[in-house]
Amino acid sequence: MALDRTHLELLGALTEHPTLRAAAQSINLSPSAASRRLDDAERRVGVALTETIGRTLTLTAAGRYLADAARDADRRLADAELAARWLDRGETRPVRIGLGFHDAIPWALSTGQPIEIVRTTESGWPAALAAGTIDLVVDVGDAPATGPRLELATDRLVAVVPAGHPLATNGHGIDGPDLAPLPYFASAVEPRPGFEFEQLFRPSGSSPRNIVRVESAAITHDLVAAGRGVTVQPALAVPPRTDLAIVGLARSIEVRWWAYTTGSTEAADIATSLANALTARRNDRSRHDGPTAPLAGRRFSPRR
């Protein structure tokens, strides 16, 4: 027999409270009623969902998995209820855009469509897209196949250093040993295939001595501008700022921007607008990095 929402509600409460009594009170249950509900849940699933460590009642791995799934289901149900009210009023549901590390790209979209910006993670957005909790996400480089993807732009990696830094005037291209002694900002400490750790640092026989993880491009730019360190980013990810210098690398590393979507027409329209915005930024970047071939504005259809 499957669990119902009352069982999942209790498991969710147990993630936030150390005792069954406190969890029961948070959802207006008596401790005895909560105990019976928990026993019933374990009978239905056939596995232990909690364990007692000292005086603390904690969820087992199975219990935590079910509690996490319940929270995701609640969010999806809340979204569906909100969408139903919009549809009843003849309104269009906003396109939910998953915003990960690249939160400094031009989000001033001109489609006129309602949007919502939902914070996500580099590892978590494929599951969110597959589950339907977001409609569109933008990423650089190849990612797990999860529905239609639209190519937005080709780009190249560049070094980003503080304006006035000695490396800012490097006319021969920055190599791995130039960056290795400096604090280095990265979105993750694990090297990502096809990016600077594989194609810049490894061939040069060097690597950053102090890697600082920052999961936001906008904050990374602020830290670099403040003289706290350096980074390597796709050129189009870096907005024009007088306190930042964008310098070419000694090794040319090409990357591609992609929009991953659920395949809706609305998401494709926003991806088209974003591609045009990236093209405009690319043309602006050419004044700083040298000439680059601009992309023409295009109308995209999903590629699976």
Side-chain angles (χ1 to χ4, degrees):
M1 186 182 300
L3 299 181
D4 59 35
R5 292 191 70 184
T6 61
H7 298 111
L8 298 174
E9 181 184 39
L10 177 58
L11 293 177
L14 286 169
T15 66
E16 301 174 2
H17 300 280
T19 66
L20 184 62
R21 178 181 294 274
Q25 289 176 344
S26 72
I27 57 175
N28 298 317
L29 278 182
S30 67
S32 59
S35 180
R36 290 193 299 271
R37 185 175 294 181
L38 181 59
D39 289 343
D40 184 49
E42 291 183 330
R43 279 195 301 271
R44 294 189 183 200
V45 178
V47 299
L49 300 178
T50 62
E51 57 185 348
T52 302
I53 301 177
R55 296 183 177 181
T56 301
L57 184 70
T58 63
L59 294 173
T60 62
R64 288 194 299 272
Y65 182 85
L66 287 172
D68 290 342
R71 281 194 291 268
D72 288 340
D74 282 342
R75 283 193 291 267
R76 293 187 65 185
L77 182 59
D79 284 348
E81 291 172 351
L82 185 58
R85 289 193 286 272
W86 283 322
L87 291 171
D88 183 61
R89 296 195 299 265
E91 298 177 4
T92 302
R93 181 178 66 78
V95 176
R96 296 159 298 178
I97 300 175
L99 188 62
F101 173 77
H102 292 292
D103 52 2
I105 59 177
W107 287 106
L109 307 176
S110 59
T111 63
Q113 296 187 51
I115 63 172
E116 291 180 350
I117 304 298
V118 181
R119 177 62 72 175
T120 184
T121 64
E122 184 173 303
S123 60
W125 69 255
L129 194 63
T133 55
I134 58 175
D135 304 303
L136 168 69
V137 69
V138 173
D139 198 21
V140 180
D142 290 332
T146 176
R149 68 175 185 173
L150 316 171
E151 183 177 346
L152 301 179
T154 57
D155 201 359
R156 59 193 176 96
L157 297 185
V158 294
V160 186
V161 302
H165 191 280
L167 290 177
T169 56
N170 186 317
H172 302 287
I174 290 179
D175 207 348
D178 300 317
L179 302 175
L182 305 171
Y184 185 81
F185 300 118
S187 61
V189 295
E190 302 84 6
R192 187 174 179 184
F195 284 76
E196 74 275 21
F197 284 93
E198 181 182 277
Q199 298 199 38
L200 179 71
F201 291 115
R202 186 182 298 169
S204 68
S206 63
S207 62
R209 299 170 192 168
N210 180 18
I211 300 175
V212 181
R213 182 170 63 182
V214 181
E215 296 181 345
S216 163
I219 294 175
T220 295
H221 301 155
D222 289 341
L223 289 169
V224 171
R228 301 284 295 274
V230 297
T231 191
V232 169
Q233 298 285 319
L236 298 181
V238 188
R241 292 178 51 162
T242 58
D243 51 3
L244 294 176
I246 298 175
V247 188
L249 300 178
R251 293 170 173 80
S252 179
I253 305 174
E254 183 178 285
V255 292
R256 294 185 180 185
W257 289 83
W258 297 91
Y260 296 84
T261 80
T262 55
S264 72
T265 300
E266 293 80 9
D269 287 343
I270 289 178
T272 299
S273 178
L274 181 56
N276 292 334
L278 286 171
T279 297
R281 177 170 287 184
R282 181 173 180 169
N283 293 340
D284 181 71
R285 282 271 65 83
S286 67
R287 300 202 308 269
H288 304 275
D289 301 343
T292 57
L295 292 173
R298 292 178 288 173
R299 169 67 196 174
F300 297 98
S301 58
R303 177 191 299 175
R304 294 186 182 272

